[in-house]
Amino acid sequence: MAYAPIAVGAVLGLLVLRGLVWIVRYVAADGPMRQSIRQAGRIRRRWKRFAQMAGLSATDRMPTALASLATTDASKQPKPRVLVPTLKVKPDRYGVIARARCLPKVGLEEFQRAAPYIADAWGCTRVSVLPDGPGYVRIRAVRTDPLLTPTEHVPTGEALEELAVWSLGLDEYAQPVAVSLSDVPGVTVAGLPGYGKTSLINRFICDMAPSPAVQFAVADGKVSTTDAGDYADLTDRLFAFVGDDLEEANALFKRLVALREDRSTCLKNVLGVKNVWHSGLSASWPLTVLVIDEAHTYFRDHKGSDRETKRLAALAAENARLVEDLVKKGRSVGILVVLATQKSTGDAIPTFIRDVCPVGLSFAQKTADAAVAALGDDIRNWPDANPVHLQEPSYVGVAVMKQEGRPGFLRIRTPYVPDADAARVATNSTHLTRDPADLLIHVAGQATMRDFLTKRDTGTAA
């Protein structure tokens, strides 16, 4: 009994400490976070009652050993116990994330069926329930819609640890969404003008620019000179840039196809592998990204019988053939093509290019056919995610993409990168800009490259 006051004091001390931590955290939080903290407290307090009302409980008719010993009258059995899944709740700016432990007959399916009731009871706009390891489910409840909340991204200016990952933004449950670029030859980005295509690509360049293991070339069909358009602030970080001139674009595409051929010829001898992704990117063998914005400018089929029209038609056809080469053969040597256009129909991006690109995103579209061209026919089976519903101004910056590894599609809020930040990153990383062809000569050696190129030209390369 002498230790009882000490134990009581220790318990009270822990409670006081816990209360102080809660108060400090609450005071330091901003308005949305404070609201989520209060929401999490209400959920914890009401969970046991609500779970039983929502059918998320199980009845245990087997008495515990202690209850059996406490029952002296054999004719009276202990009352069955009502078990409720344990719940741990964590707040964030958008709502709460809860982890619940499953019970017999109260598993993933039961939680998913109860999701609408959970949303109503917790005061949330939507609730997602997913498995979270054996015997657990993860409940994501958002109070404010992340898709309707514009966000900004401020690049750190530091090189990313993982260059093979493209961070896109937040999904409709405010969870980060990223896509792997490892072994990806091409990405298509479609959507109406002004809805976020170029901003998405700008963020990608700004995040990757601080690393010497990534080099960029841009063909922008919206402008004629480097000092105009959306990429003007990033020009210093591009090893090549062309505008809407088809001949200049053709020369750039030929230059990159030549790089692809040279890399293919000496890849195994220089790196010791048949696929650069098996050894990893480096400053001497960087990921070479070709961005083709307003891609239809370079591939459009020109109709007419006059000399100039025929010349443009021939250039467009050759442009399509060259980009097809890059998309179909550039993956293993570290070349990625990003094609952006308003409608990724066959007349804008030839199907023999578009259908080889494994990653596709679409911002707002006007027609169902345009949505199908961008995302595939399966989008018809998911009407709630169809980008034709994103034409409202509040959805500027929201894109749709296929869910990797799961059925259905993701809606993603992509952030805006301020022009000043893009310019800052480009200026600070200008010294990293290199022509990948020059780097290849350096890493392979001039004599070795001459030997490889001679073998390639004579058809004797291994």
Side-chain angles (χ1 to χ4, degrees):
M1 295 299 293
Y3 295 102
I6 298 176
V8 172
V11 171
L12 291 175
L14 288 174
L15 291 175
V16 171
L17 179 61
R18 184 175 179 181
L20 288 174
V21 170
W22 188 93
I23 291 172
V24 170
R25 183 184 178 193
Y26 185 81
V27 171
D30 58 12
M33 189 63 186
R34 289 182 182 180
Q35 193 173 353
S36 294
I37 292 173
R38 296 194 299 269
Q39 181 184 28
R42 290 193 299 270
I43 290 170
R44 294 188 191 99
R45 291 192 300 271
R46 300 172 183 176
W47 171 245
K48 188 171 183 180
R49 181 182 182 89
F50 168 75
Q52 296 180 59
M53 296 172 63
L56 298 175
S57 63
T59 301
D60 185 1
R61 302 185 184 281
M62 178 69 70
T64 63
L66 184 61
S68 298
L69 291 174
T71 303
T72 56
D73 190 347
S75 63
K76 293 183 179 180
Q77 293 294 325
K79 292 183 178 180
R81 294 181 302 145
V82 177
L83 304 181
V84 170
T86 57
L87 188 77
K88 293 184 178 180
V89 186
K90 181 181 179 181
D92 64 13
R93 288 178 54 83
Y94 293 94
V96 297
I97 300 173
R99 191 171 192 251
R101 185 168 187 171
C102 299
L103 296 173
K105 295 186 178 181
V106 182
L108 176 63
E109 292 185 7
E110 286 70 30
F111 275 96
Q112 288 178 337
R113 282 199 295 266
Y117 310 132
I118 295 175
D120 291 338
W122 293 3
C124 294
T125 59
R126 63 173 68 95
V127 167
S128 168
V129 181
L130 295 172
D132 193 28
Y136 289 89
V137 296
R138 183 176 183 275
I139 306 171
R140 175 50 167 162
V142 290
R143 184 182 61 258
T144 57
D145 191 344
L147 299 180
L148 298 176
T149 307
T151 57
E152 282 193 2
H153 174 68
V154 179
T156 63
E158 301 293 330
L160 299 178
E161 294 183 5
E162 182 54 70
L163 293 175
V165 175
W166 182 354
S167 295
L168 300 174
L170 300 177
D171 68 11
E172 54 199 295
Y173 296 98
Q175 298 304 290
V177 178
V179 62
S180 173
L181 297 178
S182 179
D183 273 319
V184 171
V187 176
T188 60
V189 184
L192 296 175
Y195 273 81
K197 299 188 300 296
T198 304
S199 181
L200 173 72
I201 297 171
N202 270 345
R203 188 231 172 130
F204 171 65
I205 295 176
C206 287
D207 284 348
M208 297 291 184
S211 172
V214 186
Q215 299 296 336
F216 307 93
V218 170
D220 187 359
K222 298 190 298 293
V223 299
S224 299
T225 60
T226 58
D227 58 353
D230 298 304
Y231 300 95
D233 294 324
L234 300 171
T235 304
D236 290 341
R237 189 58 180 90
L238 311 177
F239 74 86
F241 178 92
V242 297
D244 56 4
D245 187 285
L246 264 62
E247 277 196 47
E248 293 181 0
N250 186 261
L252 174 60
F253 299 156
K254 284 180 178 178
R255 177 177 164 188
L256 289 172
V257 168
L259 172 68
R260 197 277 306 161
E261 292 173 344
D262 295 346
R263 280 187 170 187
S264 298
T265 302
C266 63
L267 174 63
K268 187 174 181 181
N269 298 77
V270 174
L271 297 184
V273 294
K274 294 182 179 179
N275 188 326
V276 68
W277 296 103
H278 297 165
S279 62
L281 304 167
S282 65
S284 57
W285 196 296
L287 174 65
T288 303
V289 181
L290 169 62
V291 175
I292 308 177
D293 205 341
E294 300 297 334
H296 53 274
T297 302
Y298 307 105
F299 306 136
R300 183 168 66 88
D301 186 15
H302 294 76
K303 303 292 185 180
S305 57
D306 61 281
R307 179 179 298 181
E308 178 62 13
T309 301
K310 288 182 178 180
R311 185 184 71 87
L312 293 175
L315 283 171
E318 188 177 22
N319 287 342
R321 180 184 62 79
L322 293 169
V323 174
E324 178 189 16
D325 179 284
L326 293 174
V327 173
K328 289 186 175 180
K329 301 178 182 179
R331 172 183 57 83
S332 62
V333 297
I335 294 178
L336 170 68
V337 182
V338 180
L339 301 111
T341 188
Q342 296 173 27
K343 294 194 304 180
S344 54
T345 48
D347 57 337
I349 301 178
T351 55
F352 52 79
I353 296 174
R354 184 194 68 196
D355 294 346
V356 181
C357 297
V359 178
L361 298 96
S362 179
F363 290 84
Q365 295 286 359
K366 276 195 173 182
T367 66
D369 289 341
V372 169
L375 300 170
D377 196 63
D378 193 38
I379 190 63
R380 298 184 191 275
N381 300 320
W382 303 88
D384 291 344
N386 199 306
V388 297
H389 301 308
L390 301 179
Q391 296 181 55
E392 296 294 329
S394 56
Y395 286 118
V396 170
V398 176
V400 179
M401 71 174 291
K402 185 73 175 176
Q403 262 188 305
E404 189 174 356
R406 294 206 303 266
F409 291 80
L410 281 175
R411 293 184 294 174
I412 308 163
R413 161 60 68 177
T414 63
Y416 171 73
V417 178
D419 294 342
D421 289 310
R424 169 179 55 82
V425 170
T427 300
N428 293 341
S429 59
T430 301
H431 64 286
L432 301 176
T433 306
R434 297 288 187 276
D435 188 328
D438 295 339
L439 293 172
L440 185 61
I441 293 174
H442 178 76
V443 71
Q446 290 186 357
T448 305
M449 278 300 299
R450 280 199 303 269
D451 181 50
F452 286 152
L453 297 180
T454 300
K455 290 181 179 180
R456 184 197 71 190
D457 293 339
T458 58
T460 59

